[in-house]
Amino acid sequence: MQIVEIPILNLKLKISKIAFNIFGIDIYWYALIIVVSIVSALFYCKKIKGKYGIKFETILNVCILVIPIGIICARLYYVIFNLKYFIENPMQILDIRDGGLAIYGGIIGGIVTIILYCKKHEINLFDLLDYLAPAVALAQSIGRWGNFVNIEAYGTQTSLPWKMCIIEMCTPYFFIWITLHIFNIFIAV
């Protein structure tokens, strides 16, 4: 459990990474938020179905490929940039429960998959990208809240009034205060 304080709002939040437990398996907020972001993007795509002459069924077919490939590429990117650790601990490569997905790898994998899908099915790449761009932006803005809950990707230290403070409990008697910019809130809004 960590505490995030937003002084300008006089707000202190106790944040746990674990949302709930099912049959002894911890279900993390980050995973739930990512699922909500994907579902929200799909609802948006359903709402604009037919735009650019693209059927919603095409979007579903693309997603069946892009989502797992994006997750694999996000992990691969993370592993490559932490290669020394994973060479020493190869069994950890498949363990994404302790983190280790990099959005850059997911985006690269997703774009390559979309390019290949468009070539194979003779779909105009730019029409499909135009169709998907707002949905991806929506999913990303929701997904950033997963970073907030995980207390990661929060920005840099600041003394600005709209900062937030992260309090990590290292021992029952010791608190580390890290004053940070509320980067996640700006990205999501």
Side-chain angles (χ1 to χ4, degrees):
M1 180 85 57
Q2 295 177 320
I3 299 172
V4 175
E5 180 181 8
I6 304 173
I8 197 168
L9 299 175
N10 196 25
L11 183 65
K12 278 189 181 181
L13 306 168
K14 289 183 180 179
I15 298 178
S16 173
K17 294 180 181 185
I18 300 167
F20 54 88
N21 186 294
I22 297 177
F23 305 116
I25 298 172
D26 291 335
I27 307 300
Y28 291 88
W29 279 113
Y30 188 86
L32 292 176
I33 292 168
I34 296 303
V35 169
V36 167
S37 72
I38 292 168
V39 170
S40 298
L42 285 171
F43 275 122
Y44 173 80
C45 288
K46 177 113 173 119
K47 182 178 179 180
I48 64 165
K49 65 182 176 193
K51 193 171 185 179
Y52 303 105
I54 297 172
K55 297 177 182 176
F56 182 64
E57 293 76 27
T58 300
I59 298 303
L60 291 176
N61 291 334
V62 168
C63 286
I64 287 170
L65 295 172
V66 167
I67 293 168
I69 290 171
I71 292 169
I72 291 167
C73 290
R75 181 59 173 183
L76 183 60
Y77 189 96
Y78 183 83
V79 168
I80 289 169
F81 282 90
N82 295 284
L83 199 53
K84 183 180 178 192
Y85 171 81
F86 289 106
I87 286 173
E88 295 170 5
N89 303 284
M91 296 305 292
Q92 296 298 311
I93 291 174
L94 298 177
D95 182 15
I96 63 171
R97 295 195 47 80
D98 284 328
L101 298 177
I103 188 68
Y104 310 112
I107 291 170
I108 292 166
I111 289 173
V112 169
T113 302
I114 289 169
I115 291 169
L116 295 174
Y117 186 90
C118 286
K119 283 188 177 220
K120 181 178 180 183
H121 295 280
E122 298 178 357
I123 296 170
N124 183 301
L125 173 64
F126 296 112
D127 285 347
L128 184 59
L129 291 176
D130 283 344
Y131 188 107
L132 291 174
V136 171
L138 173 64
Q140 177 65 11
S141 67
I142 295 168
R144 291 292 294 161
W145 285 98
N147 297 123
F148 180 78
V149 171
N150 268 0
I151 314 292
E152 63 186 18
Y154 39 70
T156 187
Q157 287 187 331
T158 185
S159 59
L160 292 170
W162 50 85
K163 66 189 174 206
M164 69 179 184
C165 303
I166 297 173
I167 306 164
E168 296 180 352
M169 292 185 215
C170 297
T171 71
Y173 308 104
F174 183 66
F175 299 92
I176 299 175
W177 284 74
I178 308 170
T179 305
L180 304 161
H181 206 281
I182 307 178
F183 184 72
N184 287 341
I185 295 172
F186 287 133
I187 292 295
V189 172

